């Protein structure tokens, strides 16, 4: 098996399992449980693969659920989880840089541990802004560049090796500042390092990023 064949096999079979394990640890799921239940109305989930957030949606607050993911295996898991819950969802294969849904289609976008791995974060943030209705919100829980200089230095060193092993995951991308730069009004809800995890990989920020222009529908 050649190098590129091996890389394709790793991406298709090994990487999804590693991401699934890393993104479903107890502390990660605890933080998901703090942000995802705030979703309401017509909800879109960026990076819905694996279905890890589905258990935290409040069925009485969510009118409809849609999402995209580029990985077929993770997407299949999300669809299976939706069927098991009996909550119909429109999950499609797609990229965040070109979300296959119309303008102003959603009240809430859920984005958890996803912006680190997209190819063009500015384009993805623009797309999230586009599909939100005026007054809509992004609920985000992301890891990114640490505020401590010593940790950030290690992130810069490790990232080139880390990315191919972790599905293109970046360690050094800003979080709150990126949403503000995309025209969102950000309300931070929390930040900090994930306990019992390497600091270079687990500086977390979570909160709300609102699109101006109207009141969010109840």
């Amino acid at each position: 098996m050649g190098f590129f064949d091996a890389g394709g096999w790793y991406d298709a079979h090994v990487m999804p399992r590693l991401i699934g394990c890393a993104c479903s640890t107890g502390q990660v799921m605890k933080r998901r449980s703090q942000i995802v239940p705030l979703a309401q109305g017509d909800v879109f989930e960026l990076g819905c693969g694996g279905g890890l957030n589905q258990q935290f949606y409040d069925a009485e607050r969510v009118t409809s659920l849609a999402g995209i993911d580029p990985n077929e295996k993770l997407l299949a898991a999300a669809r299976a989880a939706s069927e098991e819950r009996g909550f119909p969802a429109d999950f499609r294969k797609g990229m965040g840089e070109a979300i296959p849904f119309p303008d102003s289609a959603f009240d809430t976008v859920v984005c958890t541990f996803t912006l680190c791995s997209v190819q063009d974060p500015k384009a993805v943030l623009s797309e999230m802004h586009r599909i939100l209705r005026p007054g809509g919100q992004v609920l985000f829980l992301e890891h990114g560049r640490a505020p401590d200089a010593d940790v950030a230095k290690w992130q810069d060193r490790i990232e080139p090796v880390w990315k191919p092993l972790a599905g293109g995951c970046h360690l050094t991308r800003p979080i709150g500042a990126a949403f503000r730069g995309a025209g969102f009004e950000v309300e931070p809800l929390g930040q900090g390092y994930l306990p019992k995890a390497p600091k270079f990989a687990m500086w977390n920020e979570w909160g709300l990023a609102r699109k101006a222009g109207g009141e969010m529908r109840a």
Side-chain angles (χ1 to χ4, degrees):
M1 181 181 289
F3 175 79
F4 291 105
D5 291 336
W9 183 88
Y10 176 89
D11 289 345
H13 300 284
V14 178
M15 185 270 293
R17 293 189 179 188
L18 290 177
I19 291 177
C21 290
C23 292
S24 62
T25 64
Q27 288 295 328
V28 170
M29 297 304 281
K30 180 180 179 180
R31 291 191 174 171
R32 292 181 189 273
S33 73
Q34 295 170 340
I35 192 74
V36 177
L38 301 177
Q40 64 182 47
D42 296 317
V43 178
F44 172 84
E45 184 175 337
L46 181 70
C48 63
L52 295 176
N53 285 331
Q54 290 188 38
Q55 62 187 287
F56 301 119
Y57 286 115
D58 184 343
E60 295 184 357
R61 292 168 56 90
V62 175
T63 305
S64 68
L65 179 61
I68 60 170
D69 199 280
N71 188 283
E72 287 282 12
K73 287 188 176 294
L74 293 176
L75 198 57
R79 288 170 177 152
S82 174
E83 291 176 5
E84 184 177 347
R85 291 179 65 244
F87 195 103
D90 182 1
F91 292 147
R92 308 179 188 180
K93 185 176 181 179
M95 305 289 286
E97 291 84 357
I99 296 174
F101 290 94
D103 296 356
S104 303
F106 299 99
D107 302 295
T108 304
V109 171
V110 174
C111 183
T112 57
F113 299 106
T114 301
L115 286 178
C116 61
S117 59
V118 301
Q119 295 181 11
D120 187 342
K122 289 184 178 180
V124 173
L125 288 165
S126 177
E127 280 289 273
M128 288 194 285
H129 194 277
R130 177 185 66 80
I131 65 171
L132 274 174
R133 295 180 177 122
Q137 63 183 3
V138 179
L139 301 174
F140 66 89
L141 166 60
E142 295 287 339
H143 79 99
R145 190 166 193 86
D148 301 301
D150 289 344
V151 178
K153 184 184 298 184
W154 277 105
Q155 289 179 318
D156 290 330
R157 292 172 177 171
I158 294 171
E159 185 174 88
V161 178
W162 178 266
K163 284 195 299 182
L165 296 176
C169 173
H170 293 71
L171 299 172
T172 60
R173 287 179 172 171
I175 305 170
F179 279 100
R180 294 184 185 94
F184 289 97
E185 300 172 357
V186 177
E187 179 184 339
L189 295 180
Q191 61 181 21
Y193 294 104
L194 194 70
K196 301 180 181 179
K199 284 189 173 182
F200 73 83
M202 278 302 167
W203 171 258
N204 286 185
E205 296 179 26
W206 57 100
L208 314 177
R210 293 190 177 89
K211 178 178 179 177
E215 294 294 329
M216 185 168 178
R217 299 193 310 171

